[in-house]
Amino acid sequence: MPRQVDYYFSLQSPWAYIGHQSFRRLVSTYDLKVNHRPVVLVDLFSETGGLPLMKRHPVRQRYRMVELQRWRDKRGLKFHLQPANWPFNARLADGVVIAALEAGHDPDRYLRRAFAAVWEDQLNLADPATIAKLADESGLPGKQLLERSGSEEISAAYEQNRQDALAADVFGSPVYVLEGEVFWGQDRLELLEDALKSARAPYSSKV
């Protein structure tokens, strides 16, 4: 059986965007099964001691801008550091991922297109028409998935992802959980690959 990774993220997260292509290379190389877990970041931050960007100390905000530039170069990407339509309410856009999974679709093409839409094309992923168009361009039934995304059932699944994230010691985006071991941030992908390559037992905070 393929090894599984729980992938916690939001389309609002620049770091999930920056790491997504590299993560997918690991998925392909190591034949991983990905359990996509979109999660609302504001609630997750507040419940685990984090702060939304604009409430962080200016020193941290300035350092973030430097890091974005470093990782933009490191990952070979071209994107806006302050895109016109960010931040945005990611509920519907994230919900389309859950709705796609529910309908048996692989959401990866949509994720690639949607991440690029925010950071490269500066589109508004809080706009329903934009979300549906991006899903259509990804080969998914955009109108149907968008309608389903707004349902109470998808809201419940989104909330369950938040609860599962807390139970798994997840506190940001992206987070990759391999056999209970948490790898926080796209800058931990190399460490995730080390764990996959070595097939070592997972590390635990309970020592």
Side-chain angles (χ1 to χ4, degrees):
M1 292 181 63
R3 300 179 80 179
Q4 298 189 32
V5 171
D6 291 333
Y7 178 31
Y8 290 93
F9 65 94
S10 173
L11 281 164
Q12 187 168 183
S13 168
W15 308 108
Y17 155 67
I18 289 170
H20 189 75
Q21 292 184 32
S22 296
F23 173 56
R24 293 305 306 190
R25 282 195 288 272
L26 290 186
V27 170
S28 177
T29 299
Y30 295 95
D31 190 28
L32 300 176
K33 181 182 184 300
V34 179
N35 301 315
H36 296 84
R37 302 291 188 103
V39 62
V40 58
L41 292 182
V42 173
D43 291 348
L44 198 61
F45 286 160
S46 65
E47 291 183 87
T48 57
L51 291 173
L53 177 62
M54 298 312 296
K55 292 186 177 181
R56 297 173 197 167
H57 192 280
V59 168
R60 292 178 179 268
Q61 294 188 41
R62 291 195 293 270
Y63 186 75
R64 172 184 174 275
M65 293 301 292
V66 174
E67 281 282 89
L68 285 171
Q69 293 170 78
R70 288 173 178 157
W71 284 103
R72 180 172 61 181
D73 291 347
K74 176 71 172 177
R75 299 294 188 207
L77 298 168
K78 295 181 180 180
F79 62 88
H80 299 273
L81 298 174
Q82 296 177 300
N85 290 292
W86 188 93
F88 61 96
N89 186 334
R91 166 61 187 83
L92 277 180
D94 283 352
V96 165
V97 177
I98 301 172
L101 292 167
E102 178 187 68
H105 301 296
D106 183 345
D108 187 57
R109 286 184 61 190
Y110 166 73
L111 285 173
R112 292 173 186 260
R113 182 68 191 93
F115 276 132
V118 176
W119 298 97
E120 298 170 27
D121 304 328
Q122 303 192 88
L123 300 182
N124 182 7
L125 258 71
D127 175 53
T130 299
I131 298 169
K133 184 174 184 290
L134 293 172
D136 285 338
E137 291 173 354
S138 306
L140 299 176
K143 184 174 183 292
Q144 295 94 311
L145 293 180
L146 181 67
E147 290 176 354
R148 182 61 178 164
S149 175
S151 70
E152 292 184 5
E153 291 84 359
I154 296 300
S155 290
Y158 201 44
E159 166 61 17
Q160 186 62 54
N161 284 349
R162 184 189 66 82
Q163 294 182 25
D164 291 344
L166 292 170
D169 287 347
V170 169
F171 51 91
S173 169
V175 168
Y176 319 94
V177 182
L178 175 68
E179 295 167 357
E181 183 175 346
V182 174
F183 295 82
W184 171 47
Q186 64 84 31
D187 52 344
R188 300 302 191 276
L189 283 169
E190 286 76 9
L191 296 179
L192 174 59
E193 181 168 22
D194 289 344
L196 290 165
K197 189 183 300 182
S198 68
R200 62 166 173 75
Y203 297 147
S204 171
S205 60
K206 300 174 182 177
V207 294

